[in-house]
Amino acid sequence: MRVLVVGAGFGGIAAAIELRTHGITDVTIVEAGPGIGGTWAYNTYPGAACDVPSHLYSFSFAQRRNWSRLCSPQPEILEYLKGVAREYDVDGLVVPDTRIVEARRDDTTGPWTATTDDGRTFTADVLIVATGQLNTPVTPDVPGQGSFDGVQFHSARWDHERDLRGRRVAVVGTGASAVQFVPEIAQEVAHLAVFQRTGNWFLPRRNRPFPGWWKAAIRYVPGLQRWRRRFITEYTESLTLMIRHPSTLGRIGRLWSTLFMRMQVRDPELRRRIWPDYTFGCKRILFSSHYLPALSRPNVSLSTEKVTEIVPEGVRTADGTTHKVDTIIWGTGFAARDFMFPMEIVGPGDRKLSDEWAGGPHAHLGMTVPGFPSLFVLYGPNTNTSGGSIILYLEAQTRYLREALQRMTSRGAEAIEVRRDVEAASDAQVQARFPGTAWTACDSWYRDEGGRIVTNWPGYMREYLDRTKTVDADEYVFHR
């Protein structure tokens, strides 16, 4: 069985390890970037770190006892992933600088033929798309961008050649990335103009380095690492609990966030501008103990006016003000709802995945789509977590797809495909769980243009792990 994995981030590496550990050895990983890392190879902005504690944001089979702090910085996470790939001897499977533009399967019994942007082709019996949800940076189409006299870049493609010391810098966007890099660069720029579309709900995270006694305890006290991971799991599940019950338990989260934010911002005018106007948990809850104080610095300004135009000397807002800057940093997030697109995936009968998903992305358990035999998507539709670790989901998904492939071979089949009625029922069940939750109380990047939530799992991590524990062969067609 030949397996092609697209993407060398946590999902792609997890898939390769799971398959090779269970005897499926003909695995190739193609990566558009220069090597292993995925989002952790691209997001190198100052202060880049995970907002999920490292004891949970790591593989269960490759636990590490020497994390430097609760939520590790980007270089540490990247080195961890590379180290795991070396340890499990899958780093040599990666073909770097290889961007797939189309994957096509002409008949149900295969194979898949993947074509790169430079004309190379890869042929495989199984296609695993592990490009994730947060891989394609988005810069809004603001008039006049090409006229700017200074330097501009997206936070996920940070320009390290640009020395920001003494510069006048604009940051457009105040999401999870900006919350991390704004406090870092505010200390060195001459002036920082932050442009906010909507406020955020915040919870504390100081993220200091672990003291020596704690590192020693984690390393030497039996069971402490396991207990720590379990505690963090339950803590993150409590965030989902609040989101699922906004009118009751969600009020506790809102009160906690309100008290914290009021302590962080004393100025009533600044507090008014940063305050969110939507239900707690409707959008991503952000963790930072440094961002809000950074907005109070004398060299930092916050504008809540809409950015309407980029002019040669800076940023113009809806009130007619021109903010003069020499650097623009776009902290405007990712095309989370596009998944693997613009890569084209074509199944038998010239069926395009883009057409199948015209009404919104959907997949059985976020992984399999009818009409596309032996195609698996990792971190696919409705598998994002609102508070936990996506790595738990990825491990569950790779175990599931490995079992699916084993069931396929045990039946002498050439391909496996989810039944259309099964996938439709699965999608309906997922969507039926959103009404009444905080996720539906506002617009967010979780929802597509029609208002359908296409990124997030509607329940708890433990529910997804239980649902993917084993493959129900009756849910699939085995093509011979």
Side-chain angles (χ1 to χ4, degrees):
M1 187 189 307
R2 299 164 298 171
V3 179
L4 180 67
V5 181
V6 183
F10 269 95
I13 296 303
I17 292 173
E18 178 71 17
L19 293 174
R20 286 172 62 86
T21 299
H22 291 84
I24 302 175
T25 58
D26 191 350
V27 179
T28 301
I29 307 173
V30 292
E31 167 57 45
I36 291 171
T39 190
W40 296 108
Y42 286 110
N43 285 271
T44 60
Y45 54 81
C50 188
D51 55 8
V52 178
S54 299
H55 294 95
L56 185 59
Y57 195 84
S58 51
F59 293 122
S60 63
F61 57 82
Q63 285 292 286
R64 178 177 171 181
R65 297 180 182 271
N66 61 339
W67 295 109
S68 66
R69 59 194 71 205
L70 181 67
C71 298
S72 297
Q74 174 267 336
E76 200 169 337
I77 297 172
L78 181 59
E79 184 52 42
Y80 167 79
L81 183 58
K82 290 180 176 180
V84 172
R86 288 193 300 269
E87 178 184 351
Y88 284 85
D89 197 28
V90 299
D91 53 333
L93 306 179
V94 178
V95 183
D97 302 311
T98 302
R99 183 177 298 278
I100 302 297
V101 294
E102 182 191 70
R104 175 179 291 272
R105 190 181 187 111
D106 291 328
D107 57 66
T108 56
T109 56
W112 284 100
T113 299
T115 305
T116 67
D117 56 1
D118 59 5
R120 288 175 291 162
T121 59
F122 294 81
T123 304
D125 304 298
V126 178
L127 178 66
I128 301 174
V129 179
T131 53
Q133 295 185 16
L134 307 176
N135 64 88
T136 304
V138 168
T139 301
D141 186 17
V142 180
Q145 287 187 50
S147 70
F148 184 54
D149 286 338
V151 172
Q152 57 181 315
F153 54 88
H154 194 281
S155 62
R157 301 294 185 268
W158 196 271
D159 184 356
H160 291 279
E161 299 298 318
R162 182 68 165 178
D163 188 352
L164 297 181
R165 288 176 295 183
R167 299 283 186 181
R168 298 186 63 83
V169 180
V171 172
V172 182
T174 55
S177 298
V179 162
Q180 292 185 343
F181 71 74
V182 161
E184 299 292 326
I185 66 174
Q187 304 174 54
E188 59 183 24
V189 302
H191 182 77
L192 183 63
V194 179
F195 296 88
Q196 171 191 288
R197 185 175 60 178
T198 57
N200 300 294
W201 289 108
F202 284 91
L203 290 176
R205 192 199 71 167
R206 299 194 68 82
N207 206 29
R208 297 186 178 113
F210 285 137
W213 66 266
W214 174 255
K215 291 182 179 180
I218 286 289
R219 184 180 292 271
Y220 298 115
V221 176
L224 183 57
Q225 170 87 330
R226 184 171 60 255
W227 174 86
R228 178 69 168 168
R229 183 176 168 92
R230 181 64 181 174
F231 172 81
I232 294 170
T233 300
E234 294 306 320
Y235 171 78
T236 55
E237 292 280 61
S238 72
L239 296 177
T240 302
L241 184 67
M242 295 176 188
I243 294 170
R244 285 200 51 78
H245 303 280
S247 61
T248 53
L249 296 173
R251 293 180 181 271
I252 299 175
R254 182 185 180 114
L255 176 60
W256 180 17
S257 181
T258 296
L259 294 174
F260 170 68
M261 292 172 65
R262 289 181 69 86
M263 290 179 61
Q264 291 248 298
V265 180
R266 300 292 187 175
D267 177 31
E269 174 56 25
L270 178 58
R271 184 185 291 169
R272 182 188 65 80
R273 283 183 283 148
I274 62 97
W275 212 260
D277 61 356
Y278 53 86
T279 302
F280 177 83
C282 179
K283 297 185 180 184
R284 183 173 177 177
I285 301 165
L286 301 183
F287 295 82
S288 175
S289 297
H290 303 290
Y291 173 75
L292 293 177
L295 297 183
S296 299
R297 292 176 61 97
N299 67 326
V300 177
S301 63
L302 176 68
S303 173
T304 57
E305 293 287 336
K306 181 180 179 180
V307 173
T308 56
E309 186 181 5
I310 304 299
V311 293
E313 61 271 29
V315 177
R316 185 167 293 161
T317 50
D319 60 357
T321 303
T322 297
H323 304 259
K324 294 184 178 181
V325 297
D326 53 55
T327 307
I328 300 175
I329 303 172
W330 298 95
T332 44
F334 303 87
R337 301 186 298 268
D338 289 352
F339 298 95
M340 72 291 295
F341 300 134
M343 181 175 72
E344 187 77 270
I345 296 182
V346 185
D350 274 341
R351 178 189 300 273
K352 294 182 179 180
L353 185 60
S354 56
D355 293 337
E356 183 76 16
W357 284 0
H362 54 89
H364 180 48
L365 301 174
M367 287 184 278
T368 58
V369 184
F372 298 85
S374 296
L375 167 70
F376 295 88
V377 182
L378 301 183
Y379 197 3
N382 294 115
T383 61
N384 186 48
T385 169
S386 292
S389 172
I390 188 57
I391 296 178
L392 267 69
Y393 287 72
L394 292 172
E395 283 193 57
Q397 290 169 359
T398 55
R399 286 194 300 269
Y400 185 91
L401 73 86
R402 181 262 304 164
E403 182 185 343
L405 296 181
Q406 289 176 327
R407 287 177 177 266
M408 181 185 77
T409 55
S410 70
R411 286 165 168 74
E414 300 295 329
I416 181 173
E417 177 185 348
V418 68
R419 287 167 36 199
R420 184 165 293 276
D421 62 317
V422 168
E423 193 275 336
S426 170
D427 179 54
Q429 290 169 3
V430 166
Q431 294 300 318
R433 297 190 65 190
F434 285 115
T437 67
W439 288 300
T440 62
C442 69
D443 290 328
S444 70
W445 60 264
Y446 303 150
R447 311 177 79 168
D448 65 10
E449 292 77 5
R452 171 187 165 95
I453 297 176
V454 297
T455 59
N456 284 30
W457 174 248
Y460 305 96
M461 289 185 289
R462 60 179 176 270
E463 291 178 314
Y464 189 81
L465 300 184
D466 183 67
R467 185 67 182 83
T468 56
K469 187 175 295 183
T470 187
V471 175
D472 183 352
D474 291 338
E475 295 181 338
Y476 290 87
V477 176
F478 296 88
H479 296 290
R480 294 181 177 81

